Amino acid sequence: MLLAGPSDRLVGGLLATRPLRAAGRLSYAWYLWHWPVLTIAQARYGQLPWTVLLALTAASALPAWLTLRLVEQPLRYGSSPAPRRGLAVGASALVIPLIAALTLGGGTVRALGGATNTRTAAPAGAVDGPTLLAPGTRVLGLTPSLARAREDFPPGKGCEIPLNADSSPRCLFGDENSPDRIVLLGDSHAGQWISAGLKMAEQRHWALEVLVKPGCPLATLTVRNDVLGRTYDECDRWRENTLTRLTSGPKPRLVLMAGLNRYGSQEERTVGWTRTLDRLAALGAPLAYLGDTPMPGKDIPTCLAASDGRSDACFFPRDTAFEPDPMLDGGLAARYGVRTLDLGPLLCPGSGPSCPAVLEGVVLYRDTGHITDTLAQVLAPGLDKGLLGAP
């Protein structure tokens, strides 16, 4: 339409008609109003058909028209030398929709389970077997609630160092003065297990040392960081500094490795893990490896909110949830004496084409690829038995 210009009588004449001029005047306020209307409606009632969305978009023209008449035009064209009345009307017109939005938003949050900053105790997890929860344990609703699932992080957020850092701070949990410690080693997919590692350490009065760097594989291979837009040199330096650091001080009681299993090709991962395991094996400490958790590839809390909490609406494909893992399938664990635990069959049970986002009432993922801290706590008893045996 811009290219047509004023010389195009057809386009110019169409745009000059009263309905389109009125729509043009209303367009910005309409644009501002239609999105919260659609978002709140779908958060409350789930995914809606396009006909309903179209009707809601049309209905949002009414608050848009009120905003135009009571706010935009008085502020733009008011000629009073003392515009306090006009500003008061405008301020009121701004406050009223704000209060309405907060009220509707609060109702939506309550419908999703109640927003709260209070951390609730995770349900008891099974020690072994095919179920997630301990026998007799039941979850009413969803845990964590959808209002806080996205913020269900592990403790010690400062342990995950920024992109430009190449060494980890002193990050200890549990009995910090104990000479015995579990070392949790890897990237953010290792950091998601802090709560489970802490429970394992606390039962034995040990310390948990966390050495994690997001986006950085523990396997020795150089990767590119898309945020930095270049080779992730800080990752290589962090890995070298961390492996050297482990050679000093008391020998760990357990080195627990985990991480995203999607760096490089399968062959590159195999070579990289071999180089790293050569150095870790020299420590003489027991080594353990947690297989990577399934990758949903979509934001699970958002999906569950849009489906009004219906977990069956947020399944994701099994064939994209896993990658071949040289530590689990390539014989490396047996060669280096690494005890492994594959949680894939538990989190994606059966052999069907899809993996669930919710199991036994527990929301498994806080985003597109990390598990909730609630799930890590639920899995702690199984990890303890599978990796260390009875305390």
Side-chain angles (χ1 to χ4, degrees):
M1 289 192 293
L2 293 175
L3 289 175
S7 61
D8 191 309
R9 294 184 179 180
L10 177 62
V11 175
L14 179 64
L15 293 178
T17 59
R18 293 185 65 182
L20 287 185
R21 291 173 63 192
R25 286 191 296 270
L26 189 63
S27 60
Y28 189 66
W30 202 351
Y31 157 74
L32 292 177
W33 272 103
H34 92 284
W35 189 244
V37 168
L38 297 182
T39 301
I40 292 173
Q42 292 194 95
R44 179 64 183 88
Y45 299 106
Q47 187 64 41
L48 299 173
W50 71 269
T51 51
V52 176
L53 298 180
L54 184 62
L56 289 172
T57 301
S60 64
L62 176 59
W65 179 80
L66 293 173
T67 304
L68 175 69
R69 293 294 303 273
L70 299 177
V71 181
E72 184 177 337
Q73 290 179 339
L75 290 178
R76 290 182 64 190
Y77 304 120
S79 58
S80 171
R84 288 176 296 176
R85 181 179 177 185
L87 290 175
V89 172
S92 299
L94 286 172
V95 170
I96 290 171
L98 177 61
I99 293 174
L102 291 175
T103 302
L104 288 172
T108 299
V109 169
R110 287 190 294 273
L112 297 180
T116 175
N117 291 324
T118 304
R119 295 183 67 86
T120 56
V127 175
D128 52 22
T131 61
L132 192 64
L133 301 180
T137 302
R138 296 290 182 270
V139 171
L140 301 178
L142 295 178
T143 183
S145 67
L146 294 187
R148 60 173 296 268
R150 190 181 302 283
E151 305 301 323
D152 196 25
F153 288 96
K157 193 173 182 180
C159 298
E160 294 192 6
I161 60 177
L163 294 178
N164 60 356
D166 55 20
S167 62
S168 292
R170 182 179 184 271
C171 200
L172 291 178
F173 298 87
D175 189 349
E176 299 182 15
N177 297 318
S178 173
D180 300 313
R181 73 193 195 281
I182 298 173
V183 176
L184 180 60
L185 197 56
D187 61 6
S188 63
H189 276 226
Q192 65 187 2
W193 296 110
I194 289 178
S195 289
L198 178 57
K199 285 192 174 186
M200 294 163 61
E202 285 178 336
Q203 290 192 73
R204 296 163 176 80
H205 304 289
W206 295 352
L208 172 69
E209 182 176 12
V210 177
L211 299 171
V212 295
K213 182 172 176 62
C216 182
L218 182 56
T220 305
L221 66 157
T222 299
V223 296
R224 175 183 171 83
N225 186 277
D226 291 335
V227 175
L228 297 174
R230 57 171 171 79
T231 302
Y232 200 5
D233 299 320
E234 294 87 346
C235 172
D236 292 337
R237 293 197 295 270
W238 172 84
R239 187 189 307 108
E240 178 62 32
N241 291 337
T242 300
L243 293 176
T244 301
R245 175 175 171 173
L246 289 175
T247 62
S248 61
K251 182 171 66 175
R253 295 297 296 264
L254 180 70
V255 175
L256 180 55
M257 302 171 286
L260 179 69
N261 182 46
R262 291 175 184 259
Y263 300 104
S265 65
Q266 183 179 3
E267 181 180 356
E268 289 171 331
R269 292 195 293 268
T270 301
V271 173
W273 271 118
T274 300
R275 293 171 179 168
T276 295
L277 290 171
D278 283 339
R279 300 186 62 177
L280 288 175
L283 296 174
L287 304 177
Y289 175 77
L290 285 176
D292 196 14
T293 49
M295 287 288 289
K298 60 182 173 182
D299 191 286
I300 294 302
T302 299
C303 176
L304 291 172
S307 63
D308 205 19
R310 284 178 44 249
S311 59
D312 59 343
C314 300
F315 279 61
F316 53 93
R318 181 188 296 270
D319 58 1
T320 58
F322 300 98
E323 286 280 328
D325 191 331
M327 288 289 285
L328 296 177
D329 310 317
L332 286 178
R335 187 193 313 173
Y336 288 93
V338 179
R339 179 171 290 186
T340 63
L341 200 56
D342 182 8
L343 297 170
L346 179 61
L347 300 182
C348 189
S351 57
S354 301
C355 297
V358 177
L359 271 179
E360 300 175 53
V362 178
V363 179
L364 304 184
Y365 307 97
R366 68 172 187 260
D367 52 26
T368 61
H370 296 86
I371 65 171
T372 60
D373 190 55
T374 299
L375 175 61
Q377 295 179 59
V378 168
L379 292 173
L383 267 61
D384 191 293
K385 181 177 181 180
L387 299 177
L388 288 171

